[in-house]
Amino acid sequence: MDRRIQKSRQAIIDAFMRLMSEKEFESITINQIAEEANVNRGTVYLHFKDKYDLRDQHLEAQINQLLHKCMSEDNMVHLPSKTALLRTFEYLEQHASFYSLMLKSKGNTVFRNQMESMFRQRLSEHLDSINLDGELNRDITVQFLISAAVGVLEWWIIRSMPYPASVMVEQFWNLLNQGVGSEKSK
């Protein structure tokens, strides 16, 4: 992609994020985005169909970047290792402003749904490759684990990350292992 095109696109995304920090998504207009980015409306429309497309493309890019940076190739199909979880939490710490903004805005359901969808796909792929205990329903197990993971991440980010990434990973890892271990000890 031409540098000028990349620069314009990034200016639009940056302007969008600045506006998101100041006002609710629904009240943001393409004109405001263009003005904030110092481009004309047509330039915004060259890159995005509308503000919803801008939001969705940016969210998808951020989630894909999170996956790419935090998951090793070995963990792209399997559940993440403790090391991959730590990389994930550390990545979220480094990009706290974006994730906090997305989760605290009124439109956070779109972001939360994309996170859940990503986790659902990964978890479903993993569970296809293992046998669940006869007492565990696959659909319920997937939903439980997704709710736990996204809920913990959301809680941590919204509360301005009250614990370091290492503590979060230890606690999350222990909770997951206790849940699995308690079933096997019965």
Side-chain angles (χ1 to χ4, degrees), residues 7-38:
K7 193 173 180 180
S8 294
R9 183 179 176 86
Q10 191 59 52
I12 293 165
I13 291 169
D14 292 345
F16 174 69
M17 293 306 296
R18 281 192 300 278
L19 289 169
M20 283 282 295
S21 70
E22 298 168 5
K23 49 178 76 179
E24 292 300 323
F25 174 77
E26 291 303 324
S27 67
I28 297 172
T29 66
I30 291 294
N31 283 342
Q32 291 168 334
I33 295 167
E35 186 176 317
E36 183 73 21
N38 199 24

Side-chain angles (χ1 to χ4, degrees), residues 64-83:
N64 286 335
Q65 188 174 1
L66 170 70
L67 287 173
H68 178 73
K69 297 272 187 191
C70 301
M71 300 294 174
S72 68
E73 291 301 315
D74 296 339
N75 289 325
M76 293 307 271
V77 176
H78 304 294
L79 285 178
S81 65
K82 198 172 183 181
T83 304

Side-chain angles (χ1 to χ4, degrees), residues 28 79 90 92 119 136 149 174:
I28 297 172
L79 285 178
E90 288 172 344
L92 293 171
F119 282 126
L136 295 177
N174 289 337

Side-chain angles (χ1 to χ4, degrees), residues 25 30 33 44-45 47-57:
F25 174 77
I30 291 294
I33 295 167
V44 176
Y45 286 119
H47 294 278
F48 307 100
K49 288 186 274 190
D50 53 29
K51 70 179 185 178
Y52 300 96
D53 184 42
L54 167 56
R55 178 197 60 200
D56 294 346
Q57 282 191 42

